[in-house]
Amino acid sequence: MSHNNKKQTNTILLETQNFIIRFPLENDLEDLLELYSDKLRSSTFNSDNCEDNFYYPTLERIIEVYKFWKESFIKGWFTRLCIIERKTRKVVGTLEVCKRVSADASNGCNILRIDLLEQFEKEKNLFEINEIILNNIEKFYGVKNTFTKIRSNQVERKKSFLKLGFREFDGKLIGRNNETYSDYWINF
């Protein structure tokens, strides 16, 4: 996972009882289209401080995003991984880890984004995925402290992160154009 190697492979990075976590591959594009072409669902994804809103309605757009994810890993901006359901071998979500550079309390910490198909947005799944990610999070950018966004209506997500030792962050994160972002949780 370290950026020292700078090479993506189809190697499984992490495994749980029900999920496999690895770099995206070209044969994942149809599954990724299903995830990101749902306009209502994409509105629940954390796109704070990003160039777009994670709504990708066409295969052509998914291909562009896939290429950008690869470039971003190589340049060390962020790491985007696929979450594959072990039983079906289908991509059911993605996760992203980046090391934040900012003028606020989150500077130097990880930001963790998790995008899942709605039927997988359950406390049990979220706990299983996030537990293994958080146990290995330092391998990404050498940092343990992690922020993640949890909106007030994301009850299942909130329950899973509470079990993992997260608490609500009482401040706001500041974006590159001085936008402010709320609803963050942290595991300090």
Side-chain angles (χ1 to χ4, degrees), residues 80-128:
R80 178 70 66 156
L81 302 172
C82 283
I83 302 166
I84 294 104
E85 183 185 30
R86 185 182 290 281
K87 180 172 54 176
T88 63
R89 299 289 187 201
K90 178 180 166 66
V91 175
V92 298
T94 67
L95 66 88
E96 177 186 301
V97 178
C98 71
K99 184 175 178 182
R100 185 146 157 86
V101 177
S102 65
D104 59 30
S106 67
N107 186 49
C109 296
N110 295 309
I111 298 289
L112 174 63
R113 302 177 201 270
I114 307 279
D115 304 338
L116 289 171
L117 291 170
E118 187 170 16
Q119 62 268 35
F120 288 89
E121 184 82 17
K122 306 288 184 231
E123 178 187 355
K124 178 185 173 291
N125 297 330
L126 287 158
F127 182 85
E128 184 177 338

Side-chain angles (χ1 to χ4, degrees), residues 25-47:
L25 303 172
E26 283 187 35
N27 61 0
D28 296 329
L29 295 175
E30 290 290 336
D31 290 347
L32 291 167
L33 179 62
E34 181 182 347
L35 175 66
Y36 289 105
S37 65
D38 181 336
K39 193 168 194 169
L40 184 60
R41 185 76 188 137
S42 67
S43 70
T44 68
F45 300 155
N46 176 8
S47 62

